[in-house]
Amino acid sequence: MTSPFDDKLHEECGVFGVFGHDDAPALTALGLHALQHRGQEAAGIVAFDGMQFTAERHVGLVGDIFGGNESHVAKLRGRNSIGHVRYSTTGGSVVRNVQPMFADLTGGGLAIAHNGNLTNARQLRRQLVGEGAIFQSTSDTETIIHLAARSHYEFIVEKLIDALKHVEGAYSLVALTSKKLIGVRDPYGVRPLVLGKLDDAYILSSESCALDIIGADFVRDIGAGEMVVITKDGIESLRPFPPKPKRFCIFEYVYFARPDSSVEGKNVYEVRKCIGAELAHEAPAAADMVIPVPDSGTPAALGFAEASGIPFELGIIRNHYVGRTFIEPSDRIRHLGVKLKHNANRAKLKGKRIVLVDDSIVRGTTSKKIVEMVRDAGATEVHFRIASPPTTHSCFYGVDTPNKEDLLAHRMNLAGMREFINADSLAFISMDGLYRAMGEAKRLSGAPQFCDACFSGDYPVEPTDSKDFRRQLSFLAEVV
Ligand code: SF4
C-alpha cells in the first residue's frame, strides 16, 4: 500500500517468461529485477524441468529473494519458466497472494502470472464460490485459474481461452504448461506485453528494458487481444477474442514504464521529452532554470528546457537509498517526510526563478512539500509544470490509485491547486497536448486512441460495480 512518503500512482505488477533456455530461472530472475519498478512487495518464479513444476514465491525485493548466496533461483530447475513482481492492493503481501499461481488441471499443470485488474472480479468470484470453488488467495489471477479448471474444453490452451472469455478488464499475462509458454493481452491492450528472442529461446516481458538486460532481441509487441502459444516447434499467434478498440494505458508513457523501454512502438524517454516540449509551448514561464522533480520528472524537464531555451539544472537531488526501511517510519521522524527522499541543491536555487517539472500530481502532498523545500532553499519564484493532465479519476485496470475523493484535481480547480501547493503558477499539459506529444493530431472524442480514464473518466470497461469497487478490494483483503 502507498506509504506516507509516497504520492504517486503505482503499477501493480510485472511479468516475465522464458521458453527453451538452459538458464531459464536465472534469466527470469534478471528480467524481474529489470521490472522491479512495476512491483516491489513480492516476487515469484515457477519453472518446469520436463517432469515437474517448481515454484519460489516470496515477499520482498527481487534482489533479496533471487540474488546472493542464498538465492532461491538454485532451487528452480528447467528450461521454461515464468515470473512475476507484485505491488499489492488487496490482501497485503501474504505469500498466498504472490504469483505466479499454479494449479493442476485436467490435462496438466498451469501456472499464471498476471498484470492488470479484472473489472468483474467480484461478480465472478461470488459465482464461483457459490458453485463450490475454494479460493486460496485474494488475487484476480486465481479467478482465471478457477474458470480454466471448470472449463469443459479438452486442452489447456482452450481452457484458458474459455476462462478469459468470461473476464472483463485489463490483463497481460504469461502462463506456463508442461509443453507451452503462453502470452495474452486483453482485447483493449491496456497493459503492455512484448516478445523477445535470446538465441533459440523465446521471451515474454512486460517491458522491453528487461529484454535488454538479458541480452535478448526485441521482436514485437503482443497485439491487443492476441494470444501467443510458444512450443518447441515455434510460435503460433491466435486471435480468440472479439476485437475491441485499442486502449493502451497512456500513463505507462507518463510515468509507469521505464524510460529505456519502448512500448507500442514508442520509446518512453522520447515520449516524455516530447511531453515536456509540448508543455513548454502550452504553458511557458519566465524563469532562470528548469528543475525536474527526480527521477520521474527528468525527461519531461529536459524536453521543457530544450523547447524553452531555459537552462536545465539538477536543483533537487534524490536519495536513491531510501527504500523499504522508511516505508513505515516512526512518528519521531515522520515529519521529515519528503526530505528523506529529496533534498534541495541550495547553491543552485538561491535567488533563482525556477520552473519545476513533475510527471503528475496525485494527492498533492508531496508537491506541496517540494515547493516549500525549494522556496526554503532560496528560490524566488516557483512555476510548477505537470507533464500530464489533472488526475481526476481512479484506475480500475491494475494501477493503485487513491479514492477519487483523495485526488487533488478531483477536489480542487486549477486556482485551488495552485494555492494548495503554494506555487507562483501551476499548469498541466492539456489532453490534446499530451496526444500531440504521442504523435497524434489530437485526442479523438468518443473513441480515444489510448486509455486516459484517470484524466478523463472515459473508462474502456466500467467495473461491474464501480461505486463499490474499492470496498470490494478491501472486502476481499479481509475475507482471506
Ligand atoms: Fe492507465 Fe489511467 Fe487508464 Fe489506469 S485509468 S489504465 S492508469 S490511463
Side-chain angles (χ1 to χ4, degrees):
M1 290 294 180
T2 308
S3 88
F5 297 163
D6 203 348
D7 190 20
K8 293 285 182 195
L9 302 189
H10 284 273
E11 185 66 63
E12 284 172 16
C13 300
V15 297
F16 197 82
V18 177
F19 189 90
H21 198 286
D22 288 342
D23 296 321
L27 291 173
T28 303
L30 287 170
L32 294 181
H33 193 255
L35 298 174
Q36 185 80 83
H37 60 290
R38 298 183 77 85
Q40 296 93 47
E41 296 205 349
I45 297 176
V46 170
F48 183 71
D49 66 1
M51 296 291 288
Q52 62 179 15
F53 290 88
T54 45
E56 290 293 332
R57 290 181 287 252
H58 302 271
V59 173
L61 295 170
V62 176
D64 297 337
I65 300 166
F66 294 113
N69 296 335
E70 301 297 315
S71 171
H72 292 288
V73 169
K75 301 176 200 163
L76 295 160
R77 309 224 178 284
R79 302 186 81 237
N80 309 331
S81 58
I82 59 170
H84 187 263
V85 285
R86 169 181 169 81
Y87 179 88
S88 71
T89 54
T90 60
S93 298
V94 286
V95 173
R96 63 189 159 190
N97 275 330
V98 182
Q99 298 188 34
M101 302 243 155
F102 175 81
D104 271 315
L105 312 187
T106 321
L110 175 67
I112 297 185
H114 164 214
N115 172 208
N117 253 20
L118 307 184
T119 50
N120 61 342
R122 181 189 193 185
Q123 192 187 41
L124 288 171
R125 194 178 177 104
R126 272 197 178 148
Q127 192 182 320
L128 287 161
V129 169
E131 291 166 7
I134 299 169
F135 277 77
Q136 306 286 328
S137 76
T138 59
S139 163
D140 288 2
T141 316
E142 196 180 352
T143 306
I144 298 172
I145 288 186
H146 276 286
L147 288 168
R150 279 153 190 260
S151 169
H152 297 300
Y153 285 91
E154 185 178 355
F155 300 110
I156 289 194
V157 170
E158 294 171 311
K159 286 178 187 286
L160 185 57
I161 292 171
D162 191 28
L164 292 173
K165 282 184 175 170
H166 289 85
V167 307
E168 292 171 1
Y171 55 84
S172 277
L173 61 84
V174 293
L176 187 67
T177 74
S178 58
K179 295 195 175 80
K180 299 178 173 81
L181 172 65
I182 302 162
V184 200
R185 279 178 85 192
D186 70 79
Y188 293 96
V190 176
R191 306 254 71 89
L193 188 65
V194 300
L195 175 70
K197 272 209 98 178
L198 176 63
D199 305 323
D200 292 332
Y202 283 96
I203 315 289
L204 291 169
S205 173
S206 290
E207 289 184 38
S208 66
C209 65
L211 302 179
D212 299 337
I213 301 300
I214 63 163
D217 294 325
F218 171 81
V219 176
R220 65 179 177 87
D221 291 278
I222 304 301
E226 182 182 9
M227 171 182 274
V228 290
V229 180
I230 298 162
T231 65
K232 64 179 178 38
D233 299 322
I235 183 164
E236 186 184 5
S237 170
L238 309 174
R239 295 275 177 181
F241 313 113
K244 302 275 188 195
K246 194 164 160 195
R247 299 287 295 274
F248 181 64
C249 168
I250 206 163
F251 223 116
E252 291 278 354
Y253 290 110
V254 168
Y255 174 68
F256 300 138
R258 260 176 56 157
D260 51 339
S261 284
S262 290
V263 279
E264 296 288 318
K266 292 178 174 47
N267 173 256
V268 174
Y269 176 78
E270 289 302 330
V271 168
R272 286 181 192 164
K273 276 188 78 178
C274 289
I275 295 173
E278 193 67 42
L279 190 52
H281 294 309
E282 282 192 351
D288 302 310
M289 59 181 65
V290 176
I291 304 280
V293 177
D295 291 328
S296 52
T298 303
L302 277 166
F304 193 108
E306 275 180 22
S308 63
I310 302 171
F312 172 92
E313 294 284 359
L314 294 177
I316 299 172
I317 306 301
R318 182 177 161 195
N319 181 347
H320 288 267
Y321 303 98
V322 174
R324 304 177 64 77
T325 321
F326 287 105
I327 281 178
E328 290 179 44
S330 71
D331 285 345
R332 276 181 298 157
I333 62 165
R334 197 185 293 275
H335 72 280
L336 293 174
V338 74
K339 287 188 181 168
L340 294 173
K341 194 167 171 188
H342 294 116
N343 192 26
N345 187 356
R346 287 176 175 273
K348 274 286 160 206
L349 297 175
K350 197 164 185 322
K352 296 292 192 303
R353 301 168 301 163
I354 66 165
V355 177
L356 200 53
V357 180
D358 204 353
D359 60 274
S360 58
I361 292 183
V362 182
R363 292 183 184 82
T365 46
T366 299
S367 308
K368 184 182 172 75
K369 285 177 182 159
I370 283 178
V371 171
E372 186 186 335
M373 188 172 71
V374 296
R375 283 197 191 282
D376 286 349
T380 54
E381 290 179 26
V382 183
H383 302 278
F384 216 151
R385 297 292 179 268
I386 307 300
S388 59
T391 304
T392 49
H393 290 72
S394 303
C395 175
F396 301 117
Y397 309 122
V399 170
D400 183 32
T401 358
N403 288 332
K404 199 160 84 168
E405 293 68 30
D406 294 328
L407 296 168
L408 190 69
H410 180 77
R411 293 168 42 218
M412 296 179 188
N413 62 18
L414 187 66
M417 288 191 276
R418 187 205 62 74
E419 196 173 329
F420 175 80
I421 65 172
N422 193 26
D424 292 282
S425 72
L426 170 67
F428 295 78
I429 196 168
S430 69
M431 191 73 100
D432 279 347
L434 178 60
Y435 273 77
R436 277 195 298 277
M438 308 290 306
E440 308 285 344
K442 61 180 203 152
R443 181 185 193 264
L444 301 175
S445 61
Q449 304 90 317
F450 294 91
C451 176
D452 54 26
C454 48
F455 310 130
S456 65
D458 184 354
Y459 294 101
V461 194
E462 283 282 345
T464 310
D465 184 354
S466 62
K467 266 199 203 145
D468 210 20
F469 193 70
R470 286 280 137 192
R471 265 180 285 145
Q472 164 199 343
L473 297 179
S474 16
F475 161 76
L476 292 177
E478 279 161 20
V479 293
V480 294

